[in-house]
């Protein structure tokens, strides 16, 4: 079955494109955050760029989809190094383990609940556009949460 007019191989390749775009960027963005020491700003930028990429994906054609998925991969690469570096900055070095535990809980909840939620959204709406817009909403929510963090 085609997805948005794409054959299954191309659609599967698009899923890999996100990670292929992110792989070289994660250490680069981690290095940049170490240099500028503005991790909160980078999380906000990454989350906002993810929101924009997801909105663009909602309206993309099959040929432009690869560009927006790669952009999403680059944008998503902003977040992991900063999220892992923020707990000691926010809570202090003596509570870094607790902070990492909270981050791990949040990551696991997201990885556990997102697939069935997105699958349900697809089933209910039968609309890839609304599904991507739903993901963009949660990304925008993450941008707001990141902005409210008490960190540099």
């Amino acid at each position: 079955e085609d997805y948005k007019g794409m054959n299954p191989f191309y659609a599967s390749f698009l899923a890999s494109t996100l990670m292929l775009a992110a792989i070289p960027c994660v250490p680069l963005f981690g290095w940049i955050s170490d240099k500028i020491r503005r991790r909160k700003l980078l999380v906000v930028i990454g989350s906002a760029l993810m929101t924009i990429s997801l909105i663009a994906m909602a309206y993309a054609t099959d040929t432009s989809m690869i560009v927006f998925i790669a952009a999403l991969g680059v944008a998503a690469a902003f977040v992991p190094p900063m999220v892992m570096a923020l707990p000691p900055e926010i809570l202090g070095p003596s509570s870094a383990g607790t902070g990492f535990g909270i981050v791990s809980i949040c990551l696991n909840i997201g990885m556990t609940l997102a697939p069935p939620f997105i699958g349900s959204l697809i089933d209910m709406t039968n609309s890839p556009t609304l599904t991507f817009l739903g993901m963009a909403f949660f990304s925008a929510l993450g941008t707001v949460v990141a902005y409210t963090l008490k960190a540099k």
Side-chain angles (χ1 to χ4, degrees), residues 3-152:
Y3 173 74
K4 286 188 91 166
M6 294 177 259
N7 72 48
F9 177 79
Y10 183 66
S12 298
F13 174 71
L14 290 177
S16 299
T17 300
L18 188 139
M19 289 296 117
L20 289 171
I23 288 169
C25 296
V26 173
L28 173 65
F29 295 149
W31 178 80
I32 290 170
S33 82
D34 287 342
K35 295 297 175 205
I36 67 170
R37 310 294 294 171
R38 300 286 308 267
R39 292 183 174 96
K40 174 184 165 180
L41 173 66
L42 293 173
V43 172
V44 170
I45 290 170
S47 297
L49 291 174
M50 286 191 314
T51 302
I52 293 166
S53 296
L54 286 162
I55 291 169
M57 288 168 61
Y59 299 102
T61 62
D62 63 335
T63 53
S64 64
M65 184 69 86
I66 194 166
V67 173
F68 298 122
I69 288 177
L72 179 63
V74 171
F78 272 89
V79 179
M82 277 30 96
V83 167
M84 295 302 165
L86 279 171
E89 287 184 16
I90 294 170
L91 301 172
S94 64
S95 297
T98 301
F100 289 126
I102 292 168
V103 167
S104 293
I105 287 171
C106 293
L107 291 172
N108 288 325
I109 289 171
M111 288 187 295
T112 301
L113 298 181
F117 175 76
I118 297 303
S120 296
L121 192 57
I122 291 170
D123 288 345
M124 287 187 306
T125 66
N126 199 26
S127 170
T129 300
L130 289 176
T131 301
F132 281 118
L133 292 176
M135 289 187 284
F137 169 78
F138 284 104
S139 183
L141 189 62
T143 304
V144 172
V145 169
Y147 184 76
T148 65
L149 291 174
K150 304 285 187 232
K152 296 192 276 181

